[in-house]
Amino acid sequence: VCIHRVRSCSGIRFIKSKYVCVFDKSALKFSLQQRLLRTSAVSCGQIVQFKLSDIGEGITEVTVKEWYIKEGDSVSQFDSICEVQSDKASVTITSRYDGIIRKLHYNLDEIAYVGKPLVDIEIDASKGVSPEEDVVETPPMSHEEHTHQEIKGHKTLATPAVRRLAMENNIKLSEVVGTGKDNRILKEDILNYLAKQTGAILPPSPKAEIIPPLPKSEAVPAAPKDRARKIPVPVSRPIVFSGKDKTEPITGFHKAMVKTMSAALKIPHFGYCDEIDLTHLVQLREELKPLAQIRGVKLSFMPFFIKAASLGLLQYPILNASLDESCQNVTYKASHNIGVAMDTEQGLIVPNVKNVQVCSVFEIASELNRLQSLGSAGQLGTNDLSGGTFTLSNIGTIGGTYAKPVILPPEVAIGALGKIQVLPRFNGKGEVFKAQIMNVSWSADHRIIDGATMARFSNLWKSYLENPASMLLDLK
């Protein structure tokens, strides 16, 4: 077969040859596809497979809960792409590139794996691509034909927010020493590095702004004392009866509960219960609540419970410790990161207030407000949910008097708080008076904690709450 001149169907490239003696149709077709592929890569840009990065805490898979973009949308750096939920926290994934979304690799409620492609983003080929991502030249190549090329080298671990903070201050991440897990660079590391460069002195943690009380004419009116008692109302939900069994996978926080409780029940528990007279604390809170409201903070009883527990842990540090797997070593935790069990639509979560031992009651209340807002929105981060050393569960907000709380490993103690009830009690003169009574149920790891230690700690915690003025002697 003699071909004097062959022109491709796309009109992009000519193949000139005076004589072609051997002609292979399939070879010509493949050659034309390759040339068309290269031309398309130049004209349309590169397709970057944006992979799901390591979130930390040993998380290997997450559930895609919400997409903020769709195929064909344009995105810029740091734009939110999706929200994913692991068994420990909810995380918002942001874009690293400016480009156009070409493919979403997962549907809602599907499992995405760390290190696997999350979305395909078409970027400008002239801007180049980070070596951490895979580049696909464009279709007609199928997804299975994409070749994975990984360039080994030093990878700086930091969230997009931290990278943006470093970029805004012209800081190279390679010059910053990370203090997080696996040398991950945290926001505090950037601020400390910036302070060393500028000579500024940064506070160890952000403090809530203290606003002076308003004049009496502008003061917030106190809540009426004769408040109607709340009556529980059953939630009205449509009843759907299909007559068939339904099987659903355990995901998210429920999956974390399965793992944690399975490990927890290997711990030999023992319980201890007591009742607390909160009459004086109820009066004190009523006096302080309007002042806290002026500062923009809702003051509940929980900050007092948490601070009293921290003061007790200073005297009994064994309750703020952890036991290794071989039961040979006990680690006494320096920080009092006290967790608070919260009931949310996603299930039971236990965020913790960090460094309670150096926080005031007002600072604890402010942090609790933040955690409760994020918990209700399902936006608690890994840092909020990890690192707990002691836990209080306020089951009384729903109802109930006593409970049998289960320890959250690697912690060694937990307390469950019942509802506050108005009950008759006797004073020192034998007179009956109206008392605000709350019951507490403790659980402790009997391998390293004995009943006497738990009882002494409970008595100290009880004394702080029954006589809240005594807390002033030990507050720091």
Side-chain angles (χ1 to χ4, degrees):
V1 179
C2 294
I3 301 177
H4 179 64
R5 185 171 294 175
V6 178
R7 194 171 85 168
S8 64
C9 60
S10 66
I12 296 176
R13 180 166 181 171
F14 291 91
I15 305 175
K16 295 183 179 180
S17 177
K18 187 173 183 180
Y19 293 101
V20 180
C21 297
V22 180
F23 176 72
D24 187 346
K25 184 178 179 181
S26 61
L28 177 60
K29 183 179 179 181
F30 177 76
S31 176
L32 291 177
Q33 284 183 342
Q34 292 297 315
R35 294 184 184 110
L36 288 173
L37 175 62
R38 296 191 188 97
T39 305
S40 176
V42 173
S43 61
C44 298
Q46 293 177 326
I47 300 294
V48 177
Q49 285 191 334
F50 180 45
K51 295 181 179 179
L52 179 61
S53 302
D54 182 15
I55 300 175
E57 297 294 325
I59 296 171
T60 59
E61 62 181 42
V62 295
T63 303
V64 178
K65 302 303 294 183
E66 183 176 0
W67 285 107
Y68 299 118
I69 45 87
K70 60 182 181 298
E71 294 181 1
D73 285 354
S74 296
V75 294
S76 301
Q77 292 186 47
F78 307 109
D79 283 353
S80 296
I81 291 180
C82 66
E83 180 182 345
V84 298
Q85 185 183 82
S86 69
D87 56 358
K88 297 182 179 180
S90 294
V91 179
T92 299
I93 305 298
T94 57
S95 175
R96 189 179 300 173
Y97 305 105
D98 300 331
I100 301 174
I101 301 297
R102 290 304 181 195
K103 182 178 180 180
L104 307 181
H105 285 269
Y106 300 97
N107 296 321
L108 291 179
D109 295 325
E110 285 189 348
I111 302 297
Y113 297 93
V114 171
K116 299 296 183 181
L118 190 63
V119 296
D120 288 354
I121 304 178
E122 180 182 323
I123 67 170
D124 187 352
S126 63
K127 295 183 179 180
V129 184
S130 170
E132 295 176 7
E133 302 296 335
D134 290 343
V135 178
V136 183
E137 284 196 299
T138 57
M141 243 185 183
S142 65
H143 177 71
E144 290 74 20
E145 292 172 323
H146 295 168
T147 55
H148 175 73
Q149 297 178 353
E150 181 177 358
I151 299 179
K152 296 182 179 179
H154 177 70
K155 182 179 179 181
T156 303
L157 298 178
T159 62
V162 173
R163 292 179 184 273
R164 184 170 189 173
L165 180 63
M167 181 179 64
E168 291 174 349
N169 292 277
N170 296 321
I171 297 175
K172 294 182 179 179
L173 290 178
S174 58
E175 299 177 356
V176 181
V177 178
T179 59
K181 184 178 180 181
D182 298 328
N183 297 322
R184 181 181 295 275
I185 297 177
L186 307 176
K187 179 180 177 181
E188 290 78 8
D189 301 329
I190 299 293
L191 296 177
N192 291 333
Y193 179 87
L194 188 62
K196 291 178 182 178
Q197 299 298 319
T198 60
I201 300 177
L202 298 177
S205 60
K207 302 296 182 182
E209 181 180 0
I210 298 178
I211 305 173
L214 297 176
K216 292 183 178 181
S217 59
E218 301 179 8
V220 178
K225 295 183 179 180
D226 298 332
R227 181 177 298 174
R229 184 177 179 180
K230 294 183 179 179
I231 301 176
V233 179
V235 179
S236 178
R237 295 180 180 177
I239 300 176
V240 179
F241 181 75
S242 62
K244 297 181 180 179
D245 296 342
K246 183 173 67 172
T247 302
E248 294 181 348
I250 299 176
T251 59
F253 296 126
H254 293 286
K255 191 172 183 178
M257 187 185 300
V258 171
K259 295 179 181 178
T260 304
M261 293 299 101
S262 297
L265 291 181
K266 297 178 182 178
I267 299 173
H269 287 55
F270 81 89
Y272 178 84
C273 300
D274 201 356
E275 72 171 30
I276 320 295
D277 183 359
L278 299 180
T279 303
H280 295 302
L281 181 60
V282 170
Q283 296 173 354
L284 176 63
R285 173 178 171 266
E286 287 298 322
E287 295 174 3
L288 297 179
K289 190 164 61 171
L291 298 177
Q293 188 175 358
I294 292 174
R295 300 184 186 185
V297 173
K298 181 180 179 181
L299 182 63
S300 64
F301 290 104
M302 184 57 73
F304 297 97
F305 300 154
I306 292 175
K307 189 60 184 181
S310 178
L311 294 175
L313 293 176
L314 292 174
Q315 301 296 324
Y316 299 95
I318 188 63
L319 296 173
N320 195 60
S322 64
L323 185 65
D324 63 4
E325 294 182 0
S326 60
C327 299
Q328 299 297 318
N329 300 290
V330 177
T331 301
Y332 294 87
K333 304 293 185 178
S335 298
H336 296 172
N337 299 338
I338 298 182
V340 181
M342 295 183 180
D343 178 42
T344 67
E345 293 182 358
Q346 292 80 26
L348 177 66
I349 56 176
V350 189
N352 58 83
V353 181
K354 300 286 194 293
N355 298 311
V356 176
Q357 76 279 2
V358 295
C359 293
S360 66
V361 172
F362 177 76
E363 289 169 343
I364 296 171
S366 178
E367 178 66 3
L368 274 179
N369 286 184
R370 184 186 72 87
L371 294 175
Q372 288 168 345
S373 298
L374 293 177
S376 300
Q379 297 178 351
L380 285 168
T382 304
N383 184 57
D384 297 323
L385 296 167
S386 60
T389 60
F390 187 88
T391 298
L392 291 176
S393 177
N394 190 9
I395 194 66
T397 56
I398 300 176
T401 307
Y402 295 96
K404 187 179 180 182
V406 179
I407 300 170
L408 298 175
E411 299 174 18
V412 295
I414 184 175
L417 312 175
K419 62 182 179 181
I420 300 177
Q421 305 177 87
V422 178
L423 298 173
R425 290 294 183 267
F426 291 94
N427 59 19
K429 299 180 181 180
E431 300 170 341
V432 177
F433 70 99
K434 184 173 66 175
Q436 304 278 351
I437 302 298
M438 182 190 74
N439 297 96
V440 62
S441 305
W442 302 102
S443 290
D445 188 339
H446 216 338
R447 295 174 297 183
I448 59 172
I449 300 174
D450 54 61
T453 300
M454 189 75 253
R456 293 188 180 99
F457 167 82
S458 181
N459 289 338
L460 180 59
W461 181 77
K462 174 181 178 178
S463 67
Y464 282 131
L465 297 178
E466 292 188 339
N467 304 282
S470 65
M471 297 175 63
L472 295 175
L473 299 176
D474 297 317
L475 289 178
K476 296 180 180 180

